[in-house]
Amino acid sequence: MTTALAGGLDQIVLVVAAVLWPAAAGFAYAAFRPPHDPRFHLAALALSAGAVVVSGVRVALTVRLLEAGWWFAAEKVLLALPLLLIPMVYALTTTLPALLRRDRDPKRAYPLILTAIGAVAGVACDVVVSSPVSPSSALVVLLVAGGAAALAWRLVAGTGGDRWRVAGFAVALTGVVWAITGSLSAPPMHAGHDTDAGGVSVASLRGPADPDARRYTLTARASSLTVGGRTVETWSFNGQNPGPALRVKQGETLEVTLRNELPGGQGVTIHWHGYDLPAGEDGVPGVTQDAVRPGGEHVYRFRADDPGTYWYHSHQNSSIAVAKGLFGLLIVEPAEGDHTVAIHSYGNVKTLAFDDRPPADGLVTADLPPGTPVRLRIAGTDSLPVVLGLSGVDFRLRSVDARDVAGATPLRDRRLKLAAGGRYDLAFTMPDGPVALSVEGHPGLALNGRAAPATGDLLDVTRYGTLPDLREDFDQEIVWVLDKTFAMVDGLPRLAHTVNGKGYPNIPTPVVREGERVRITIVNRSGDLHPMHPHGHHVEVLSRDGRPANGMLVDTFDVEPGEVWVVALTADNPGLWMSHCHDLAHAVQGMEFHVAYEGITTPFDVGGPAGNHPA
Ligand code: C2O
Ligand code: CU
């Protein structure tokens, strides 16, 4: 059984337990009271038997999750199971014999009621507690359960006046108040990294001015596009969807002037996705700059020393801005003879844009001279991954996220899953016959005629090419547990995509020192796929789900439900760096945070007068 399946089953089973135990307790309580209907005894016994079995299944699933790692089961072992199993043993040894004896004392139902409270607390645990188990979230569950236990005692004992009722309400209320204030009192986003903390301002970490720079101007404006027979209102750079592919030769300086002509006060920035540039050029509003308001302008400069396929996109309200079209490809070219492919959904119509042609939702065709080297530079710019396939020719996955893959062996008829925000360069020599690039199993791009879409196995990209011995020495270890729990996001409680149990901006900021090698373990406890994207760095993939990986360098990688990825980050680019899920809707729902270098500060503010909003 996969970890994801065990986690999913556990969520079903915990709800079933939270229904069966209270039902059993209700019938037991009724059976102990006049008129002592024997059918209530039977119902209580039968439901208890079912609930014991279900609780056993929960224990077994927890053991399975523990095998996958402590992160997957922490709150179950520390909190949910003790709250269930301890009263359960108490109930099995007291309430059940009393039911069999047909006792008539309602107090005998109390252990079973406690078990029921424990089972319901298990649901609360699942909703509010993640890994690591924070004392405050655990206390919230304990207080609410304790309050309920006191109220229940008032009910079964029927004596003690209002004392138990008052005590019960007081304790439960403390839990609720704690839950709310505890999450509100989290440190602000830039704690310890405000300009008044002293140190180097991120605004001073800029690229060089160069009289020979290759210059582009990108103007954000409202546009429209006809795809799939429908007209979609988009936002564009220079009226083009996707925005113009920016091409620069390796070693040149790129200078891009951003202008904003968007309506409605909408701000814009440009983030150079995957390019590890000086932090001040990273284009994150509230961290490296203020969002450019309509009528405003901002200039980005950096030396393009790392060849490869990148993309750029606005980072202001990015979940909306990128979907609406504020993006384009950035190619740092070592050689000629390559083509860009941008895959994007405009208003739910999935499209493919080949080179500078407009995006099309049907088949795109092109003719290339047989015998010439071809490099398809493909970027996935949606918030979900895309399964690609290449057929009709032997090809190599030459690079992933603009970094060459060592020992890239020839592939034929294979399919590859591209992360949301990730890039693959597929290289081949144009054969005499046709070549097809398929997208989600459908023909996408047909070169020199039609070929059947690839049907071969999905390539495990983390084990493609050579598998070297990877360095295992580290200066620091970080764990990011991805989950879906109730948490504060932007000051409001909601069901959130969390990291270590917290949502933006309350996720603690890991602080690294320049020169450190940091081991990062990313654990996905949730049922959703998370394409994680650290800014400013490529990380080296050391292992995926315990299987040693090829050490490839990535800037965006899919952590599937139940998976554990171990990556190494070399801290060689001082700054304040965003790190987030590139399913941009997940970022808005909490899954974004910072990685900060010691001694780097920012004069910019999230929210604030400029209305900076990175997600
Ligand atoms: Cu394309 Cu912050 O990312
Ligand atoms: Cu996500």
Side-chain angles (χ1 to χ4, degrees):
M1 191 189 307
T2 64
T3 309
L5 181 60
L9 285 179
D10 185 59
Q11 288 194 315
I12 295 170
V13 166
L14 77 94
V15 171
V16 175
V19 171
L20 289 182
W21 282 115
F27 279 111
Y29 179 63
F32 289 127
R33 286 165 55 92
H36 305 290
D37 190 329
R39 285 172 304 174
F40 291 166
H41 288 83
L42 265 183
L45 287 168
L47 285 164
S48 300
V52 168
V53 172
V54 167
S55 304
V57 173
R58 257 221 102 179
V59 172
L61 288 169
T62 302
V63 169
R64 168 66 191 82
L65 289 170
L66 259 183
E67 281 167 17
W70 172 248
W71 320 283
F72 291 104
E75 88 292 358
K76 306 182 206 305
V77 175
L78 294 179
L79 210 54
L81 289 186
L83 283 176
L84 175 66
L85 299 180
I86 295 169
M88 183 179 98
V89 171
Y90 181 25
L92 292 183
T93 51
T94 54
T95 310
L96 292 202
L99 278 171
L100 291 169
R101 284 196 310 266
R102 307 258 162 128
D103 266 12
R104 305 195 152 202
D105 180 0
K107 286 199 198 77
R108 297 268 176 236
Y110 192 56
L112 203 53
I113 295 175
L114 286 183
T115 313
I117 292 172
V120 174
V123 178
C125 272
D126 190 66
V127 178
V128 301
V129 190
S130 186
S131 173
V133 177
S134 71
S136 60
S137 61
L139 204 64
V140 165
V141 173
L142 289 175
L143 285 174
V144 175
L151 286 173
W153 180 248
R154 167 71 181 69
L155 176 75
V156 295
T159 56
D162 281 335
R163 267 182 299 143
W164 285 103
R165 193 182 350 231
V166 171
F169 275 122
V171 172
L173 198 67
T174 313
V176 172
V177 170
W178 182 295
I180 293 167
T181 55
S183 7
L184 284 179
S185 64
M189 188 79 171
H190 303 315
H193 295 274
D194 292 321
T195 310
D196 55 11
V200 178
S201 167
V202 75
S204 67
L205 302 172
R206 304 298 299 268
D210 177 350
D212 299 324
R214 183 167 296 258
R215 296 191 166 78
Y216 289 97
T217 298
L218 293 176
T219 305
R221 54 174 76 116
S223 305
S224 67
L225 184 70
T226 305
V227 276
R230 289 195 289 133
T231 302
V232 183
E233 300 304 319
T234 65
W235 290 344
S236 71
F237 286 115
N238 301 357
Q240 275 172 256
N241 285 111
L246 306 184
R247 285 178 177 273
V248 53
K249 292 256 178 314
Q250 184 176 8
E252 278 182 336
T253 301
L254 182 66
E255 183 180 305
V256 177
T257 304
L258 167 66
R259 298 213 170 100
N260 185 1
E261 293 178 3
L262 286 171
Q266 178 59 48
V268 61
T269 66
I270 297 179
H271 166 60
W272 307 94
H273 184 121
Y275 203 93
D276 302 335
L277 39 55
E281 308 288 353
D282 197 41
V284 178
V287 183
T288 66
Q289 68 172 96
D290 281 330
V292 178
R293 314 310 306 174
E297 185 175 294
H298 186 94
V299 179
Y300 299 91
R301 290 190 187 94
F302 57 94
R303 262 182 65 105
D305 284 322
D306 301 322
T309 309
Y310 305 89
W311 64 298
Y312 62 88
H313 61 80
S314 180
H315 221 288
Q316 167 80 348
N317 295 334
S318 57
S319 65
I320 296 165
V322 178
K324 283 180 87 81
L326 283 183
F327 73 92
L329 265 65
L330 165 68
I331 310 298
V332 180
E333 18 182 56
E336 308 283 304
D338 57 356
H339 301 274
T340 59
V341 175
I343 294 169
H344 191 77
S345 300
Y346 292 95
N348 293 333
V349 182
K350 198 177 211 78
T351 68
L352 184 155
F354 182 63
D355 289 340
D356 277 330
R357 298 193 206 166
D361 68 320
L363 185 66
V364 176
T365 60
D367 290 322
L368 302 174
T372 54
V374 177
R375 184 171 184 133
L376 295 179
R377 299 176 174 275
I378 307 169
T381 63
D382 279 332
S383 275
L384 293 174
V386 53
V387 175
L388 304 169
L390 197 75
S391 51
V393 69
D394 284 348
F395 68 100
R396 291 170 212 264
L397 173 56
R398 180 67 76 201
S399 86
V400 174
D401 292 356
R403 295 294 181 272
D404 285 353
V405 178
T409 47
L411 300 165
R412 193 164 185 109
D413 200 40
R414 292 298 287 271
R415 295 178 308 128
L416 314 95
K417 193 177 199 176
L418 175 60
R423 284 91 57 221
Y424 285 159
D425 286 12
L426 305 184
F428 53 91
T429 302
M430 196 61 213
D432 293 329
V435 170
L437 175 71
S438 63
V439 178
E440 300 291 342
H442 302 293
L445 174 67
L447 300 173
N448 296 1
R450 300 284 299 257
T455 51
D457 289 342
L458 263 188
L459 179 74
D460 179 356
V461 178
T462 64
R463 292 176 61 80
Y464 174 62
T466 37
L467 288 176
D469 285 330
L470 300 167
R471 270 179 62 197
E472 277 290 355
D473 53 310
F474 299 97
D475 304 297
Q476 202 189 141
E477 300 232 359
I478 295 176
V479 178
W480 294 330
V481 180
L482 315 178
D483 205 347
K484 189 173 196 173
T485 52
F486 210 71
M488 299 296 283
V489 177
D490 270 335
L492 292 173
R494 64 168 298 156
L495 191 56
H497 290 285
T498 55
V499 179
N500 297 345
K502 302 259 189 252
Y504 170 87
N506 304 336
I507 299 166
T509 302
V511 179
V512 302
R513 281 203 193 101
E514 192 169 356
E516 277 185 341
R517 186 171 153 84
V518 184
R519 182 180 200 265
I520 307 177
T521 303
I522 303 118
V523 181
N524 187 354
R525 280 179 48 125
S526 76
D528 302 290
L529 182 152
H530 297 297
M532 297 309 288
H533 173 49
H535 282 205
H537 302 79
H538 278 71
V539 294
E540 186 184 331
V541 183
L542 304 179
S543 71
R544 175 185 185 181
D545 247 0
R547 305 220 311 154
N550 51 7
M552 65 177 189
L553 293 164
V554 290
D555 57 56
T556 318
F557 51 100
D558 277 339
V559 187
E560 308 253 2
E563 275 189 346
V564 178
W565 284 58
V566 181
V567 303
L569 179 144
T570 301
D572 55 4
N573 194 7
L576 292 180
W577 299 104
M578 213 64 213
S579 214
H580 60 96
C581 176
H582 219 283
D583 184 325
L584 297 170
H586 293 181
V588 186
Q589 293 163 40
M591 202 170 266
E592 56 174 337
F593 56 103
H594 282 166
V595 173
Y597 277 66
E598 209 174 81
I600 304 288
T601 62
T602 179
F604 306 107
D605 211 355
V606 172
N612 294 320
H613 208 297

